[in-house]
Amino acid sequence: MSADLGDRPKPKPFDEWRDIYDVLEQVRQRPGMFVRNGSLDDLGLLFSGYGLALRIHGVDERFDFDPVGPFQQWLCWTRGWPMSLSWYQFIERNAGAVPPLEAFFQLLDEWRASVAAENSAAAETAS
């Protein structure tokens, strides 16, 4: 048994997940439960189903991972990637030596930090 297993956070029960970011945290902690072999295609399918379920059930939740959503737009703007493919296909193709799922989480963290910085700057400007 690995020595670091005790350091892993316990999974949250499904009924405590509030949004896509809670889902992503569970994927980050236990990728094998959600995506085969770290496949971003599988992650993209998970997101497609999530986004579809939001629409079908009329859930008012901001969903940043639509094919032309804010995450895709940010990747296109910061990386110069065209919007002809989905964000997960571009990450797969451009991950280099980094495993694609790891590259996704690095980009996700960078994007979320940039959004937080923009929100903070906007709040300072407004006050």
Side-chain angles (χ1 to χ4, degrees), residues 34-64:
F34 299 94
V35 294
R36 293 173 294 173
N37 302 317
S39 166
L40 291 188
D41 285 333
D42 284 357
L43 185 63
L45 287 172
L46 178 97
F47 281 1
S48 293
Y50 189 96
L52 182 60
L54 291 175
R55 286 185 201 94
I56 288 171
H57 296 288
V59 176
D60 185 24
E61 177 183 321
R62 179 182 162 135
F63 185 65
D64 297 325

Side-chain angles (χ1 to χ4, degrees), residues 5-6 16 21 23 25 28 35-36 47 57 60 69 71 73 76-78 89 95 101-102 110 114 121 124 126:
L5 287 180
E16 291 182 15
Y21 293 102
V23 174
E25 193 53 39
R28 187 189 303 250
V35 294
R36 293 173 294 173
F47 281 1
H57 296 288
D60 185 24
F71 184 65
Q73 292 172 6
C76 292
W77 183 69
T78 61
Q89 291 168 320
L101 190 60
E102 185 178 327
E110 183 182 332
S114 74
E124 286 180 20

Side-chain angles (χ1 to χ4, degrees), residues 49-113:
Y50 189 96
L52 182 60
L54 291 175
R55 286 185 201 94
I56 288 171
H57 296 288
V59 176
D60 185 24
E61 177 183 321
R62 179 182 162 135
F63 185 65
D64 297 325
F65 301 98
D66 278 326
V68 292
F71 184 65
Q72 172 95 1
Q73 292 172 6
W74 176 81
L75 285 172
C76 292
W77 183 69
T78 61
R79 301 303 189 272
W81 296 343
M83 293 193 64
S84 59
L85 295 175
S86 67
W87 56 264
Y88 56 91
Q89 291 168 320
F90 276 110
I91 295 171
E92 285 266 356
R93 291 180 180 191
N94 294 286
V98 177
L101 190 60
E102 185 178 327
F104 164 75
F105 280 114
Q106 289 171 356
L107 290 166
L108 176 69
D109 292 343
E110 183 182 332
W111 176 64
R112 291 189 78 189

